[in-house]
Amino acid sequence: MTSLYEGVFGAPAEAEGRAPARANLLGEHTDYNDGFVLPTPLAYETAATIGRMKGAPDGIIEAHAAPFGETKRRSLGDPPQGDWMDYVVGCFRALGEAGYAVPAVSLAISSDVPMGAGISSSAALEVAVLRAARRLLDLPLDDVELARLGQKAENAYVGMQCGIMDQMAASLGQRGKALFLDTRTMATETVPLPESFRLAIIHCGKAHQLTAGDYNTRRRECEAACAALGIGSLRDLDTGDLERLERLEEPLGRRARHVVTENRRVLDGVAALKACDAGTFGRLMDESHRSQRDDYQVSIPEIDALADSAKRHGAIGARLTGGGFGGSIVALVPSGRYDGWRDAVLADRPDAREI
Ligand code: GLA
């Protein structure tokens, strides 16, 4: 476990943390609206090894990131610089703000998580770093608290106003299962994935951007919709309230409609998974894609074409996954037909690639 660390820092690491990437199956842009989400961890992982740095003052963080071939050193007081190191420093700042003493530490980070694919390489990094720190410093943090610190690193330091889904998926998710999370109560339930279907993640060829301004804009639009409706959160509405939304100014009405209908799709999707009804689940994925495309407007033409192709070649459901504005689709494909399906989709969409 220590070879990368030892190679860079000349001594063995003292602790390690790992965390997976995720795909979201249903429930997009609902997490910062107190809503429901349904992510699942993927096989891709980020690992962080850590040790105390001798002879440096408290709060100095040095990290080597193998995917970038870079080593950076910063202090907790330094401003963000728009690079991968912001995520690492942001985690330690969040720990400091939570009242934990942060000594000088060095970290070595390795990862096979593709970046810009919309499968949350950032949350995998945060949760891996925080798990490594938890072990090294013997911190009394449970997995939900740890996820919240990862989210805080992004909200308060990186400048991405993300919700809690990705960090919860990285921190609590179990491989091969979906994690049903109510972001209002933080209640979780593990739900089985449909048997005899395979989840496909196909990147459209255009990267999803790290701190996309559009994401933060969507969040503000939801807040504006709540203010106009006189409610605290879009979670307070149900599909019975859809008529009320028609009186909102655009684009606020359609933004709110996406969130309200998407929450319903998560609940229906969880019921379908429990009933082993893959067909209904696939239909909900398709509806979710249309809602993201038309109401929430977070898709791009390359993603829409990819989702169409996925369906045409036999996926039972296909949708944009993650924050949007590029990145990947997730599709549910009958296992026995997977290889032929993938080849046909990639032939249709030469810029796309399987993740
Ligand atoms: C990004 C954010 C999540 C969530 C999704 C959209 O991945 O990090 O919190 O809002 O976008 O569902």
Side-chain angles (χ1 to χ4, degrees):
M1 93 175 194
T2 54
S3 55
L4 175 68
Y5 185 95
E6 198 162 355
V8 177
F9 300 111
E14 295 169 61
E16 184 191 43
R18 314 177 77 87
R22 63 99 188 95
N24 190 23
L25 303 178
L26 279 178
E28 221 68 76
H29 293 274
T30 46
D31 60 351
Y32 51 84
N33 288 300
D34 282 351
F36 302 111
V37 292
L38 192 66
T40 184
L42 300 175
Y44 296 106
E45 249 192 0
T46 294
T49 46
I50 190 169
R52 287 173 193 264
M53 203 197 309
K54 296 190 179 62
D58 286 353
I60 295 292
I61 316 291
E62 189 167 39
H64 173 81
F68 296 95
E70 291 176 338
T71 305
K72 301 201 176 207
R73 187 183 178 116
R74 285 210 199 131
S75 122
L76 285 191
D78 289 343
Q81 301 192 13
D83 60 9
W84 59 268
M85 185 64 170
D86 289 350
Y87 295 87
V88 180
V89 175
C91 287
F92 286 97
R93 274 175 71 117
L95 282 173
E97 280 159 19
Y100 299 111
V102 178
V105 291
S106 11
L107 299 109
I109 294 154
S110 56
S111 180
D112 63 2
V113 181
M115 279 171 277
I119 58 170
S120 203
S121 55
S122 52
L125 174 58
E126 290 146 16
V127 172
V129 164
L130 287 165
R131 282 181 167 164
R134 175 169 69 182
R135 190 155 301 153
L136 177 77
L137 306 173
D138 203 15
L139 304 175
L141 288 172
D142 66 29
D143 291 341
V144 175
E145 289 166 332
L146 190 138
R148 284 195 193 279
L149 290 172
Q151 182 196 20
K152 186 161 182 213
E154 287 208 42
N155 290 173
Y157 192 67
V158 175
M160 166 79 173
Q161 300 306 316
C162 65
I164 192 71
M165 167 172 73
D166 301 343
Q167 292 79 10
M168 284 293 280
S171 187
L172 278 89
Q174 293 173 28
R175 280 285 313 286
K177 308 255 168 69
L179 180 76
F180 171 40
L181 165 67
D182 178 346
T183 64
R184 172 166 266 181
T185 63
M186 294 299 272
T188 58
E189 188 182 342
T190 297
V191 186
L193 293 175
E195 275 172 32
S196 62
F197 287 90
R198 199 164 142 185
L199 280 183
I201 314 291
I202 310 284
H203 192 295
C204 74
K206 282 213 168 160
H208 139 92
Q209 289 190 351
L210 268 187
T211 55
D214 291 322
Y215 182 95
N216 293 347
T217 304
R218 288 295 176 281
R219 192 166 177 152
R220 282 198 298 274
E221 288 167 347
C222 290
E223 286 160 7
C226 288
L229 291 160
I231 55 173
S233 154
L234 291 176
R235 170 65 184 278
D236 298 338
L237 303 181
D238 203 339
T239 42
D241 299 301
L242 287 175
E243 241 182 79
R244 268 176 85 187
L245 303 184
E246 282 166 22
R247 293 193 289 274
L248 286 177
E249 258 175 53
E250 288 307 340
L252 304 188
R254 54 169 74 183
R255 303 292 187 258
R257 183 167 59 205
H258 165 76
V259 174
V260 171
T261 57
E262 187 77 350
N263 276 329
R264 171 47 49 193
R265 284 185 285 272
V266 178
L267 295 177
D268 292 347
V270 169
L273 288 181
K274 287 180 176 171
C276 299
D277 180 357
T280 296
F281 193 80
R283 183 180 51 74
L284 292 163
M285 291 174 80
D286 297 343
E287 284 174 12
S288 169
H289 183 77
R290 286 193 287 274
S291 181
Q292 292 189 87
R293 183 190 64 197
D294 301 336
D295 278 349
Y296 218 64
Q297 296 181 297
V298 285
S299 190
I300 59 172
E302 290 82 352
I303 287 275
D304 295 337
L306 185 55
D308 281 351
S309 170
K311 285 292 296 178
R312 226 177 21 255
H313 293 294
I316 62 160
R319 62 184 286 281
L320 166 62
T321 188
F325 307 104
S328 303
I329 61 159
V330 59
L332 200 56
V333 184
S335 305
R337 292 168 52 191
Y338 185 83
D339 290 346
W341 172 85
R342 177 202 47 218
D343 294 348
V345 171
L346 296 183
D348 255 6
R349 305 293 311 158
D351 291 336
R353 63 179 189 274
E354 186 183 21
I355 294 283

